[in-house]
Amino acid sequence: YLVYIRKNVANQIMKRLLTVNVITLQFLMAIAVNITGGIESVAVHLFHVVTLVTIASYSFQAVISFSLLTGVLLGSVYTLEHFGVLHHFPRYTDASMGIFGNAEATVFNSITTIAWIILVATFGAVIGSMIRQRENEILAERHRISVILRDLPDGILLVDRAGRLIFINPAAEYITGISSEKVLNRVFTPKEKIPEFSRIYDLLFTEPQAASTDLPVSGFPSFDYVVGGKDREHMFQ
């Protein structure tokens, strides 16, 4: 939930709340493992939920740190139960079916369970780190393209397939007389024309007045059209 609403919450506050939440969850799950059979418990796999949350929200080092804390908590539960400090709640009705009587099996299962959690966390952290690095590269490239388009003297509008205006540069703002804050991410369709944004509609939906379909181009044909009234008339190609 915190990850979902983080755009409305300061990043540092969100991280602190999420960290408290994750650590509390780890301790609660350790208690759940204790009362559902300790080393025999299948509740240990709930710790993968913690791993997934940390992968989505933290750095590589933090994910590994949280997984190591999980290992310490589980190791402590197993050890304290084995030496009778914590009461062992057998998972089975017949306590003799448990594995605490076999020291080798107990140690092997403990190590295997903890190692599996740390392995999953490490793998997830690596994948998460690679995804974040790729996202940063994409964002940097998008920023460079945005800067280039923003500084061009030509007016540029970018519209996606749904008709949503996703970019308008200062030159286009001047031509249309409309600021980007009013129209960015607004969906424009030819059926619904808002008078306040009539120049945007004209740019997007005016039929060409002099189509040049005989031009040797590989993409869409070029055409000219006029937008605006007598007080603000522009010729576009």
Side-chain angles (χ1 to χ4, degrees):
Y1 178 72
L2 286 168
V3 172
Y4 176 75
I5 66 168
R6 62 184 172 188
K7 59 185 176 183
N8 299 322
V9 179
N11 191 53
Q12 282 300 109
I13 296 176
M14 191 277 291
K15 273 290 175 66
R16 288 170 186 166
L17 288 173
L18 188 58
T19 299
V20 171
N21 184 41
V22 169
I23 293 175
T24 303
L25 188 62
Q26 286 180 301
F27 275 94
L28 290 175
M29 286 183 176
I31 294 172
V33 169
N34 171 232
I35 63 178
T36 56
I39 187 63
E40 304 161 6
S41 175
V42 294
V44 66
H45 296 290
L46 292 174
F47 281 101
H48 292 311
V49 174
V50 175
T51 301
L52 293 174
V53 171
T54 55
I55 288 171
S57 309
Y58 294 93
S59 66
F60 175 89
Q61 292 83 355
V63 174
I64 301 304
S65 297
F66 278 116
S67 70
L68 291 174
L69 176 57
T70 296
V72 170
L73 289 172
L74 284 177
S76 299
V77 168
Y78 299 155
T79 302
L80 293 174
E81 282 192 19
H82 185 73
F83 288 103
V85 178
L86 289 178
H87 176 67
H88 174 63
F89 299 89
R91 179 182 172 193
Y92 309 100
T93 305
D94 182 357
S96 64
M97 296 177 63
I99 61 174
F100 254 108
N102 187 330
E104 292 181 359
T106 300
V107 172
F108 177 78
N109 277 274
S110 301
I111 293 174
T112 302
T113 301
I114 294 170
W116 172 243
I117 290 174
I118 295 174
L119 178 64
V120 171
T122 303
F123 177 76
V126 170
I127 298 299
S129 179
M130 291 171 61
I131 292 174
R132 278 190 287 273
Q133 182 180 354
R134 181 58 181 157
E135 283 180 343
N136 290 335
E137 292 173 357
I138 293 173
L139 288 173
E141 184 62 25
R142 181 183 296 176
H143 177 70
R144 284 193 291 269
I145 294 173
S146 177
V147 170
I148 293 171
L149 295 178
R150 189 171 60 242
D151 293 338
L152 284 176
D154 299 310
I156 296 175
L157 302 173
L158 299 182
V159 185
D160 64 16
R161 292 181 180 274
R164 188 182 306 277
L165 185 66
I166 58 176
F167 179 82
I168 176 171
N169 70 345
E173 289 183 86
Y174 170 75
I175 292 170
T176 61
I178 301 172
S179 66
S180 60
E181 289 81 4
K182 293 183 177 181
V183 291
L184 271 182
N185 296 316
R186 180 181 290 273
V187 176
F188 291 88
T189 61
K191 297 180 181 179
E192 181 183 11
K193 184 172 182 178
I194 301 175
E196 182 184 0
F197 308 130
S198 60
R199 292 195 177 97
I200 298 288
Y201 284 93
D202 290 339
L203 281 170
L204 297 177
F205 305 116
T206 298
E207 291 295 325
Q209 297 183 359
S212 305
T213 56
D214 56 339
L215 292 177
V217 294
S218 59
F220 291 105
S222 174
F223 55 83
D224 299 326
Y225 59 90
V226 177
V227 170
K230 294 180 180 179
D231 60 328
R232 192 182 178 91
E233 188 175 272
H234 292 280
M235 172 70 73
F236 293 96
Q237 185 181 62

